[in-house]
Amino acid sequence: MDLQKLTRPNVWQLKPYFCARNEFQGEASVYLDANESPYGAPYNRYPDPLQLQVKKRIGEVKNVSPDSIFLGNGSDEPIDLLYRAFCEPKEDNVVAIEPTYGMYRVCADINNVEYRTVALDENFQLSAAKLLSACDAHTKLVWLCSPNNPSGNRLDEKEILDVIKGFDGLVILDEAYIDFSSEVHFLPLLHNYPNLVILQTFSKAWASAAIRLGMAFASPEIVGILTKIKYPYNINILTQQHVLSVLENHEQVRQRVADILVQRDWLHKNLLKLSFVEKIYPSDANFLLVKVTDANTIYRTLIEKGIVVRNRSSVALCNNCLRITVGTPEENAILYQKLATCFEFLKK
Ligand SMILES: *Cc1c(COP(=O)(O)O)cnc(C)c1O
């Protein structure tokens, strides 16, 4: 893979904004370099633009070198920046599995980049050969998501590897739900594949969707390109402080994931008792994709009862499917009870 050839020429040549905090990174006693207010510490100061302390801690927890970590305002930021760094509008294209997370397409549309889809099979599995045959000389990015949203399953490891090995652009593997899966993580393989970008997030298992912090793991060269084009202070100080405390509660996160997995099994077992539930797809995530007889009616009636699930009925391969997030034991019991009492009239 030739990274320069892959990168948009304007981005490759770009001289990024050089802020006061980039220029001076040591400790001083008097800071008069950034036109900040001298009052109101600590929030009067600009945050570290490179988030070095946070990356060091994440690197320790994930066993990754800090220079292979890019941090964004949610995963949404690296998703968007990957288009802006590598895809020439109206010229280049990307290839994604279908169905999958909606932001890959939205960011393609915003950046005026052609978005090609390759359908997963009826078990939501990936065929590397089929996906690679949709790529051409203008394909810069391939989007994979495992465990996948909205289907919940992991993509076959061998097929993922065949895509990574067979494609000479970047393969983005979104692992937003990886903490709920007991199977192999791709992070230890990062060094073997210079065209691999792995996305993870603090929004799901780490219980921190509100602070907006997403991670992209990639070669230091790719991280450098994303860093060059990001807003200088993209991760605010409140987020940087909060995530450091979250990372100290590693054990609590592990325990909550274990609790959620127990609840996922409970929901799975009980929802299957309902006559209008036709199928529950196997899940490696914190949600279940549930095929019912009439998704629209069930969705609307649940809303009237104050319960919101995600209606995925209009999504490819998801006809009459609801995506249900695993909640607390109380929330799951309320959902089950409402479904059992309200919908027994909806016979198969
Ligand atoms: C929830 C989710 C994310 C997380 O996005 P953030 O911007 O980090 O909150 C990323 N990818 C997928 C597939 C998701 O479902």
Side-chain angles (χ1 to χ4, degrees):
M1 184 193 65
D2 179 345
L3 195 59
Q4 179 171 0
K5 208 173 130 237
L6 205 63
T7 309
R8 293 170 70 194
N10 62 309
V11 169
W12 189 262
Q13 284 153 19
L14 180 82
K15 295 229 183 324
Y17 176 68
F18 214 65
C19 53
R21 282 303 107 83
N22 278 123
E23 196 174 280
F24 179 78
Q25 290 186 9
E27 286 290 322
S29 54
V30 178
Y31 283 98
L32 302 175
D33 59 341
N35 297 347
E36 298 152 335
S37 170
Y39 306 114
Y43 302 117
N44 59 332
R45 300 293 175 194
Y46 282 104
D48 175 6
L50 297 175
Q51 309 106 21
L52 294 175
Q53 202 189 351
V54 176
K55 286 183 183 173
K56 180 168 175 288
R57 195 66 196 102
I58 292 174
E60 287 162 4
V61 170
K62 302 269 179 187
N63 203 14
V64 183
S65 161
D67 61 4
S68 285
I69 305 173
F70 174 86
L71 298 180
N73 186 334
S75 309
D76 297 338
E77 184 178 1
I79 291 170
D80 184 50
L81 291 183
L82 284 159
Y83 283 102
R84 291 167 59 190
F86 300 106
C87 300
E88 206 58 62
K90 295 202 264 187
E91 206 171 287
D92 291 328
N93 66 70
V94 305
V95 173
I97 56 171
E98 172 103 327
T100 192
Y101 186 45
M103 277 306 284
Y104 315 143
R105 182 192 287 277
V106 171
C107 289
D109 290 347
I110 290 170
N111 289 288
N112 209 0
V113 170
E114 183 194 350
Y115 184 84
R116 300 181 177 180
T117 58
V118 174
L120 298 171
D121 72 13
E122 69 279 6
N123 298 315
F124 296 109
Q125 264 312 329
L126 166 69
S127 154
K130 193 172 158 193
L131 187 137
L132 291 171
S133 72
C135 300
D136 65 18
H138 285 287
T139 306
K140 295 298 189 74
L141 311 175
V142 162
W143 294 97
L144 304 177
C145 182
S146 180
N148 189 30
N149 179 4
S151 52
N153 64 308
R154 269 181 304 112
L155 302 178
D156 188 89
E157 187 191 345
K158 183 180 170 301
E159 298 297 315
I160 294 175
L161 283 171
D162 284 352
V163 171
I164 296 169
K165 290 182 206 158
F167 179 58
D168 56 8
L170 299 187
V171 177
I172 327 298
L173 178 62
D174 189 340
E175 293 190 333
Y177 299 97
I178 195 67
D179 302 288
F180 301 104
S181 171
S182 52
E183 299 297 322
V184 279
H185 300 202
F186 275 77
L187 218 40
L189 300 181
L190 202 57
H191 293 297
N192 307 356
Y193 303 106
N195 65 333
L196 175 61
V197 179
I198 295 173
L199 302 181
Q200 294 186 5
T201 179
F202 284 91
S203 296
K204 307 289 158 62
W206 291 85
S208 301
I211 69 169
R212 310 305 303 132
L213 192 62
M215 297 162 274
F217 301 98
S219 71
E221 292 73 27
I222 294 171
V223 167
I225 290 173
L226 298 178
T227 303
K228 209 162 83 153
I229 65 173
K230 75 180 181 72
Y231 290 158
Y233 304 107
N234 61 327
I235 309 297
N236 70 68
I237 194 171
L238 298 170
T239 297
Q240 293 195 40
Q241 288 172 341
H242 185 83
V243 78
L244 286 171
S245 70
V246 167
L247 285 161
E248 293 317 308
N249 295 336
H250 210 170
E251 183 49 34
Q252 187 188 40
V253 171
R254 210 193 51 75
Q255 184 55 52
R256 285 176 173 173
V257 166
D259 293 346
I260 288 169
L261 295 186
V262 169
Q263 282 298 305
R264 184 180 74 194
D265 289 346
W266 183 90
L267 256 186
H268 188 124
K269 193 178 75 198
N270 283 283
L271 293 178
L272 275 181
K273 295 178 190 161
L274 301 170
S275 61
F276 52 87
V277 168
E278 297 197 326
K279 175 169 185 166
I280 302 179
Y281 291 91
S283 173
D284 258 288
N286 64 334
F287 59 85
L288 294 171
L289 188 69
V290 182
K291 195 176 187 68
V292 294
T293 50
D294 184 352
N296 293 337
T297 304
I298 295 173
Y299 174 76
R300 277 195 309 271
T301 314
L302 279 177
I303 294 237
E304 283 162 21
K305 310 268 171 207
I307 298 174
V308 197
V309 299
R310 196 92 201 264
N311 188 357
R312 299 281 73 188
S313 214
S314 60
V315 171
L317 305 177
C318 298
N319 188 33
N320 271 326
C321 285
L322 300 172
R323 193 193 69 192
I324 302 179
T325 309
V326 179
T328 62
E330 296 73 29
E331 290 169 328
N332 302 328
I334 292 170
L335 169 79
Y336 175 70
Q337 201 236 338
K338 296 280 187 215
L339 283 171
T341 52
C342 300
F343 294 110
E344 273 314 312
F345 62 91
L346 281 166
K347 292 299 175 204
K348 277 185 194 170

